[in-house]
Amino acid sequence: MENNIKSLTKACDELGFSYEFIDLDNNFVRVKMDNGWQYFELNKTPFNTEAAFCICKDKSHSYQLLKDVVRVPKTLDFLDFNVSSKYSKYKHCNSIAAALARIDDNFTYPIVVKQNKGALGTNVFLCSDALETEKAFQDIFNHQSKSYDYIALAQEFVTTKSEYRLLCAYGKPIFAYQRGSAAATFNVKYWEHGEQAQLVTDKALFQQLADFVQPIYDEFPMGWVGYDIIIDDKDELYLIELNASPQFNNFIEHNSSEPVIELYKHALTQLNKRG
């Protein structure tokens, strides 16, 4: 049983919700609620609509939705230059040369290049010049790669002092943690390099993170989300990504499962009320 499901079932035990395991490994479970069964699979939950889940996963769409709501790094999207001709109408640039020129018109190096629907730090590159940017595009648009994405993003690089994830359920901030301690080194996979998730216990910092994302709920209400937020070297906050199916392995390993259980308890209670 994985940590998400362990925390879910402990939350159910504390709330008095019954549940049944469906698979042999106990990672697929259904919870009996007042309006019937709700289904959970690993880190996937019923707390968001399908549209909300897809918007969170699509970094380009979430940027377009929220860029005038909260501070986010400027981002441009590029469709695979070799995509099928029937999708050519969606291209902003027809070649790598045109893409590099567009980047020069909008950014100064370094920049971040990453795939649109990636997760866990896959295909995220810090590029210091056009050659590195071209290589990043080639990696993302590699049709033989299991990590292929047909959209790549070029993003303003923000010098980072610290990075956090704030976990919210139905608009209520429940807990936050610092994502490693080497953010300034562009350590996108901090958990693979001995870095530890550290629970935020500073109440003022937690409130600062919560206040920063509050305007999002007027535009885009979600039931279950992790906000990736960075604080730059000028103490400005930036929203980097939304995660509608966060995992908690590194956090639980170095802290406690109790905040995650509380997150599930609040979400389950709200879902049950909503019917």
Side-chain angles (χ1 to χ4, degrees):
M1 187 188 303
E2 292 296 307
N3 282 320
N4 284 66
I5 299 298
K6 286 180 183 178
S7 298
L8 167 68
T9 55
K10 287 180 181 178
C12 289
D13 290 339
E14 293 184 19
L15 291 172
F17 289 132
S18 61
Y19 53 89
E20 296 177 359
F21 293 108
I22 297 171
D23 68 328
L24 296 178
D25 298 316
N26 293 348
N27 285 317
F28 180 24
V29 61
R30 62 182 182 179
V31 177
K32 186 65 177 294
M33 310 194 84
D34 290 347
N35 62 330
W37 294 105
Q38 296 289 345
Y39 291 81
F40 297 78
E41 184 180 32
L42 293 170
N43 60 330
K44 303 299 187 293
T45 77
F47 301 130
N48 288 317
T49 65
E50 182 179 8
F53 175 81
C54 291
I55 291 167
C56 289
K57 187 174 182 180
D58 190 314
K59 299 176 182 64
S60 176
H61 282 173
S62 59
Y63 169 75
Q64 295 296 331
L65 178 66
L66 299 176
K67 62 184 175 65
D68 297 323
V69 179
V70 293
R71 187 183 297 109
V72 292
K74 183 177 180 179
T75 302
L76 300 176
D77 60 84
F78 299 88
L79 187 63
D80 183 353
F81 313 117
N82 296 312
V83 75
S84 172
S85 59
K86 65 181 178 179
Y87 299 116
S88 293
K89 62 183 177 181
Y90 297 114
K91 288 183 181 180
H92 300 300
C93 297
N94 289 316
S95 66
I96 184 65
L100 293 174
R102 186 177 180 217
I103 287 170
D104 284 340
D105 288 341
N106 285 274
F107 299 112
T108 57
Y109 285 101
I111 62 169
V112 176
V113 177
K114 57 187 175 183
Q115 64 184 86
N116 185 45
K117 293 185 178 180
L120 299 174
T122 300
N123 275 348
V124 180
F125 308 93
L126 180 62
C127 301
S128 59
D129 55 34
L131 285 176
E132 291 183 358
T133 301
E134 181 174 358
K135 176 63 165 59
F137 277 122
Q138 290 171 348
D139 287 347
I140 294 168
F141 294 152
N142 178 3
H143 288 236
Q144 281 69 53
S145 170
K146 65 180 181 180
S147 300
Y148 167 77
D149 197 330
Y150 56 87
I151 294 178
L153 305 178
Q155 189 174 74
E156 168 193 6
F157 173 69
V158 178
T159 303
T160 303
K161 184 167 67 174
S162 53
E163 180 176 353
Y164 300 91
R165 174 166 287 178
L166 174 68
L167 284 305
C168 299
Y170 289 99
K172 181 178 180 179
I174 305 295
F175 73 101
Y177 60 87
Q178 185 171 357
R179 304 186 75 209
S181 57
T185 63
F186 199 69
N187 195 9
V188 293
K189 294 187 178 184
Y190 70 91
W191 58 90
E192 293 184 356
H193 304 285
E195 294 290 317
Q196 300 178 6
Q198 304 169 52
L199 180 67
V200 171
T201 57
D202 184 323
K203 293 182 179 179
L205 173 59
F206 181 81
Q207 192 61 50
Q208 182 184 19
L209 297 172
D211 290 345
F212 174 69
V213 303
Q214 184 56 44
I216 294 174
Y217 285 94
D218 294 330
E219 184 72 32
F220 181 37
M222 290 167 286
W224 184 260
V225 62
Y227 295 100
D228 290 349
I229 302 166
I230 61 174
I231 299 180
D232 74 358
D233 54 354
K234 298 181 179 65
D235 291 326
E236 298 279 9
L237 276 66
Y238 287 79
L239 176 66
I240 300 302
E241 291 181 9
L242 307 174
N243 193 324
S245 51
Q247 298 184 40
F248 301 103
N249 292 333
N250 187 268
F251 176 80
I252 290 174
E253 180 182 353
H254 298 290
N255 296 273
S256 162
S257 63
E258 289 306 313
V260 182
I261 295 170
E262 289 302 311
L263 183 71
Y264 273 107
K265 284 172 64 176
H266 182 73
L268 287 165
T269 300
Q270 292 302 309
L271 181 62
N272 196 48
K273 288 180 180 178
R274 285 164 167 75

Short mmCIF file of all heavy atoms in Angstrom, two decimals, residues 127-160:
data_model
loop_
_atom_site.label_atom_id
_atom_site.label_comp_id
_atom_site.label_asym_id
_atom_site.label_seq_id
_atom_site.Cartn_x
_atom_site.Cartn_y
_atom_site.Cartn_z
N CYS A 127 18.44 26.52 -19.43
CA CYS A 127 19.22 26.75 -20.66
C CYS A 127 19.88 28.12 -20.61
O CYS A 127 19.21 29.14 -20.37
CB CYS A 127 18.30 26.66 -21.88
SG CYS A 127 17.47 25.07 -22.05
N SER A 128 21.17 28.13 -20.88
CA SER A 128 21.94 29.38 -20.79
C SER A 128 22.14 30.04 -22.15
O SER A 128 22.61 31.18 -22.21
CB SER A 128 23.30 29.11 -20.14
OG SER A 128 24.04 28.17 -20.90
N ASP A 129 21.79 29.32 -23.24
CA ASP A 129 21.96 29.91 -24.57
C ASP A 129 21.09 29.16 -25.58
O ASP A 129 20.38 28.21 -25.23
CB ASP A 129 23.44 29.88 -25.00
CG ASP A 129 24.05 28.49 -24.95
OD1 ASP A 129 23.33 27.50 -25.22
OD2 ASP A 129 25.25 28.38 -24.65
N ALA A 130 21.18 29.59 -26.83
CA ALA A 130 20.34 29.01 -27.88
C ALA A 130 20.66 27.54 -28.14
O ALA A 130 19.75 26.74 -28.42
CB ALA A 130 20.49 29.82 -29.17
N LEU A 131 21.93 27.16 -28.05
CA LEU A 131 22.30 25.76 -28.29
C LEU A 131 21.66 24.84 -27.26
O LEU A 131 21.14 23.77 -27.61
CB LEU A 131 23.82 25.61 -28.28
CG LEU A 131 24.57 26.13 -29.51
CD1 LEU A 131 26.09 25.99 -29.30
CD2 LEU A 131 24.14 25.37 -30.76
N GLU A 132 21.68 25.23 -26.00
CA GLU A 132 21.07 24.41 -24.96
C GLU A 132 19.55 24.39 -25.12
O GLU A 132 18.90 23.37 -24.87
CB GLU A 132 21.45 24.94 -23.58
CG GLU A 132 22.93 24.73 -23.25
CD GLU A 132 23.30 25.19 -21.85
OE1 GLU A 132 22.42 25.72 -21.14
OE2 GLU A 132 24.47 25.02 -21.47
N THR A 133 18.98 25.50 -25.55
CA THR A 133 17.53 25.55 -25.79
C THR A 133 17.13 24.62 -26.92
O THR A 133 16.14 23.88 -26.83
CB THR A 133 17.10 26.99 -26.10
OG1 THR A 133 17.46 27.84 -25.01
CG2 THR A 133 15.60 27.07 -26.34
N GLU A 134 17.91 24.62 -27.99
CA GLU A 134 17.62 23.73 -29.12
C GLU A 134 17.69 22.27 -28.67
O GLU A 134 16.83 21.46 -29.04
CB GLU A 134 18.61 23.98 -30.25
CG GLU A 134 18.36 23.10 -31.47
CD GLU A 134 19.25 23.45 -32.65
OE1 GLU A 134 20.05 24.41 -32.53
OE2 GLU A 134 19.14 22.78 -33.69
N LYS A 135 18.69 21.93 -27.87
CA LYS A 135 18.80 20.55 -27.38
C LYS A 135 17.60 20.19 -26.50
O LYS A 135 17.07 19.07 -26.58
CB LYS A 135 20.10 20.41 -26.56
CG LYS A 135 20.29 19.05 -25.91
CD LYS A 135 20.40 17.93 -26.94
CE LYS A 135 20.95 16.64 -26.33
NZ LYS A 135 20.11 16.14 -25.21
N ALA A 136 17.14 21.13 -25.68
CA ALA A 136 15.97 20.87 -24.84
C ALA A 136 14.74 20.60 -25.69
O ALA A 136 13.97 19.66 -25.42
CB ALA A 136 15.73 22.06 -23.91
N PHE A 137 14.52 21.39 -26.74
CA PHE A 137 13.41 21.14 -27.65
C PHE A 137 13.52 19.75 -28.29
O PHE A 137 12.53 19.02 -28.41
CB PHE A 137 13.37 22.21 -28.75
CG PHE A 137 12.69 23.49 -28.36
CD1 PHE A 137 13.36 24.70 -28.43
CD2 PHE A 137 11.37 23.48 -27.94
CE1 PHE A 137 12.73 25.88 -28.08
CE2 PHE A 137 10.73 24.66 -27.59
CZ PHE A 137 11.41 25.87 -27.66
N GLN A 138 14.71 19.38 -28.70
CA GLN A 138 14.91 18.08 -29.33
C GLN A 138 14.56 16.95 -28.37
O GLN A 138 13.96 15.95 -28.77
CB GLN A 138 16.36 17.95 -29.80
CG GLN A 138 16.70 18.85 -30.99
CD GLN A 138 18.18 18.87 -31.31
OE1 GLN A 138 19.01 18.39 -30.51
NE2 GLN A 138 18.54 19.43 -32.45
N ASP A 139 14.93 17.10 -27.10
CA ASP A 139 14.62 16.06 -26.11
C ASP A 139 13.11 15.96 -25.87
O ASP A 139 12.55 14.86 -25.79
CB ASP A 139 15.33 16.36 -24.79
CG ASP A 139 16.83 16.10 -24.87
OD1 ASP A 139 17.27 15.47 -25.84
OD2 ASP A 139 17.55 16.54 -23.95
N ILE A 140 12.46 17.08 -25.75
CA ILE A 140 11.02 17.09 -25.49
C ILE A 140 10.24 16.56 -26.69
O ILE A 140 9.27 15.81 -26.54
CB ILE A 140 10.54 18.50 -25.12
CG1 ILE A 140 11.16 18.92 -23.77
CG2 ILE A 140 9.02 18.58 -25.06
CD1 ILE A 140 10.99 20.39 -23.44
N PHE A 141 10.68 16.92 -27.90
CA PHE A 141 9.98 16.52 -29.13
C PHE A 141 10.52 15.23 -29.74
O PHE A 141 10.30 14.95 -30.92
CB PHE A 141 10.07 17.64 -30.17
CG PHE A 141 9.32 18.90 -29.78
CD1 PHE A 141 9.75 20.14 -30.25
CD2 PHE A 141 8.21 18.86 -28.95
CE1 PHE A 141 9.07 21.30 -29.92
CE2 PHE A 141 7.52 20.02 -28.60
CZ PHE A 141 7.95 21.25 -29.09
N ASN A 142 11.21 14.43 -28.95
CA ASN A 142 11.75 13.16 -29.42
C ASN A 142 10.63 12.12 -29.47
O ASN A 142 10.16 11.64 -28.44
CB ASN A 142 12.87 12.70 -28.49
CG ASN A 142 13.44 11.36 -28.90
OD1 ASN A 142 13.06 10.77 -29.92
ND2 ASN A 142 14.38 10.85 -28.11
N HIS A 143 10.20 11.77 -30.67
CA HIS A 143 9.07 10.86 -30.84
C HIS A 143 9.38 9.44 -30.35
O HIS A 143 8.45 8.65 -30.15
CB HIS A 143 8.64 10.82 -32.31
CG HIS A 143 7.96 12.07 -32.77
ND1 HIS A 143 6.71 12.09 -33.34
CD2 HIS A 143 8.36 13.37 -32.73
CE1 HIS A 143 6.35 13.32 -33.64
NE2 HIS A 143 7.35 14.12 -33.29
N GLN A 144 10.64 9.11 -30.18
CA GLN A 144 11.01 7.78 -29.69
C GLN A 144 11.10 7.72 -28.17
O GLN A 144 11.28 6.65 -27.59
CB GLN A 144 12.37 7.37 -30.29
CG GLN A 144 12.28 6.85 -31.71
CD GLN A 144 11.93 7.93 -32.70
OE1 GLN A 144 12.60 8.96 -32.75
NE2 GLN A 144 10.90 7.72 -33.50
N SER A 145 10.95 8.85 -27.52
CA SER A 145 11.09 8.89 -26.07
C SER A 145 9.75 8.62 -25.39
O SER A 145 8.70 9.09 -25.85
CB SER A 145 11.59 10.27 -25.63
OG SER A 145 11.52 10.40 -24.22
N LYS A 146 9.78 7.89 -24.29
CA LYS A 146 8.55 7.65 -23.53
C LYS A 146 8.05 8.93 -22.86
O LYS A 146 6.89 8.98 -22.41
CB LYS A 146 8.79 6.56 -22.47
CG LYS A 146 9.78 6.94 -21.38
CD LYS A 146 9.95 5.82 -20.38
CE LYS A 146 10.93 6.21 -19.27
NZ LYS A 146 11.11 5.12 -18.27
N SER A 147 8.92 9.94 -22.79
CA SER A 147 8.54 11.22 -22.19
C SER A 147 8.16 12.26 -23.23
O SER A 147 8.05 13.46 -22.92
CB SER A 147 9.69 11.76 -21.33
OG SER A 147 10.01 10.86 -20.29
N TYR A 148 7.96 11.83 -24.48
CA TYR A 148 7.60 12.77 -25.55
C TYR A 148 6.39 13.62 -25.17
O TYR A 148 5.41 13.13 -24.60
CB TYR A 148 7.28 12.01 -26.83
CG TYR A 148 6.60 12.87 -27.90
CD1 TYR A 148 7.33 13.77 -28.66
CD2 TYR A 148 5.22 12.79 -28.10
CE1 TYR A 148 6.72 14.57 -29.62
CE2 TYR A 148 4.60 13.58 -29.07
CZ TYR A 148 5.34 14.47 -29.82
OH TYR A 148 4.73 15.26 -30.76
N ASP A 149 6.48 14.89 -25.49
CA ASP A 149 5.35 15.81 -25.34
C ASP A 149 5.27 16.63 -26.62
O ASP A 149 6.29 17.03 -27.17
CB ASP A 149 5.54 16.73 -24.13
CG ASP A 149 4.25 17.40 -23.67
OD1 ASP A 149 3.37 17.65 -24.51
OD2 ASP A 149 4.13 17.71 -22.47
N TYR A 150 4.07 16.89 -27.09
CA TYR A 150 3.93 17.66 -28.33
C TYR A 150 3.93 19.17 -28.08
O TYR A 150 3.89 19.95 -29.03
CB TYR A 150 2.67 17.24 -29.10
CG TYR A 150 1.38 17.34 -28.33
CD1 TYR A 150 0.65 18.53 -28.30
CD2 TYR A 150 0.87 16.24 -27.65
CE1 TYR A 150 -0.54 18.63 -27.60
CE2 TYR A 150 -0.32 16.32 -26.95
CZ TYR A 150 -1.02 17.52 -26.93
OH TYR A 150 -2.20 17.60 -26.23
N ILE A 151 3.98 19.59 -26.82
CA ILE A 151 4.11 21.00 -26.50
C ILE A 151 5.29 21.19 -25.55
O ILE A 151 5.43 20.46 -24.56
CB ILE A 151 2.84 21.57 -25.85
CG1 ILE A 151 1.69 21.55 -26.85
CG2 ILE A 151 3.07 22.99 -25.34
CD1 ILE A 151 0.36 22.05 -26.29
N ALA A 152 6.14 22.16 -25.88
CA ALA A 152 7.25 22.56 -25.00
C ALA A 152 7.01 23.99 -24.56
O ALA A 152 6.43 24.81 -25.29
CB ALA A 152 8.58 22.45 -25.74
N LEU A 153 7.47 24.30 -23.36
CA LEU A 153 7.32 25.64 -22.80
C LEU A 153 8.68 26.28 -22.61
O LEU A 153 9.64 25.62 -22.18
CB LEU A 153 6.61 25.58 -21.45
CG LEU A 153 5.25 24.87 -21.41
CD1 LEU A 153 4.72 24.87 -19.98
CD2 LEU A 153 4.27 25.52 -22.36
N ALA A 154 8.78 27.55 -22.93
CA ALA A 154 9.94 28.36 -22.57
C ALA A 154 9.46 29.35 -21.52
O ALA A 154 8.43 30.00 -21.70
CB ALA A 154 10.49 29.10 -23.79
N GLN A 155 10.21 29.45 -20.44
CA GLN A 155 9.73 30.20 -19.28
C GLN A 155 10.82 31.10 -18.72
O GLN A 155 12.01 30.72 -18.68
CB GLN A 155 9.27 29.21 -18.21
CG GLN A 155 8.54 29.81 -17.03
CD GLN A 155 8.00 28.72 -16.12
OE1 GLN A 155 8.75 28.07 -15.39
NE2 GLN A 155 6.69 28.48 -16.18
N GLU A 156 10.43 32.27 -18.32
CA GLU A 156 11.32 33.19 -17.63
C GLU A 156 11.96 32.49 -16.42
O GLU A 156 11.28 31.81 -15.65
CB GLU A 156 10.50 34.38 -17.15
CG GLU A 156 11.17 35.31 -16.18
CD GLU A 156 10.18 36.27 -15.54
OE1 GLU A 156 8.95 36.14 -15.77
OE2 GLU A 156 10.64 37.18 -14.81
N PHE A 157 13.27 32.62 -16.28
CA PHE A 157 13.95 32.05 -15.12
C PHE A 157 13.90 33.04 -13.97
O PHE A 157 14.26 34.21 -14.13
CB PHE A 157 15.40 31.70 -15.45
CG PHE A 157 16.19 31.27 -14.25
CD1 PHE A 157 15.92 30.06 -13.62
CD2 PHE A 157 17.21 32.07 -13.74
CE1 PHE A 157 16.65 29.65 -12.51
CE2 PHE A 157 17.94 31.67 -12.64
CZ PHE A 157 17.66 30.45 -12.02
N VAL A 158 13.45 32.56 -12.83
CA VAL A 158 13.37 33.40 -11.63
C VAL A 158 14.40 32.89 -10.64
O VAL A 158 14.38 31.71 -10.25
CB VAL A 158 11.96 33.34 -11.00
CG1 VAL A 158 11.92 34.18 -9.73
CG2 VAL A 158 10.91 33.82 -12.01
N THR A 159 15.32 33.74 -10.26
CA THR A 159 16.34 33.36 -9.29
C THR A 159 15.66 33.02 -7.97
O THR A 159 14.97 33.86 -7.37
CB THR A 159 17.36 34.50 -9.07
OG1 THR A 159 17.94 34.83 -10.33
CG2 THR A 159 18.44 34.06 -8.11
N THR A 160 15.84 31.81 -7.53
CA THR A 160 15.03 31.27 -6.44
C THR A 160 15.81 31.21 -5.13
O THR A 160 16.92 30.68 -5.07
CB THR A 160 14.53 29.86 -6.79
OG1 THR A 160 13.79 29.93 -8.02
CG2 THR A 160 13.65 29.29 -5.70
#
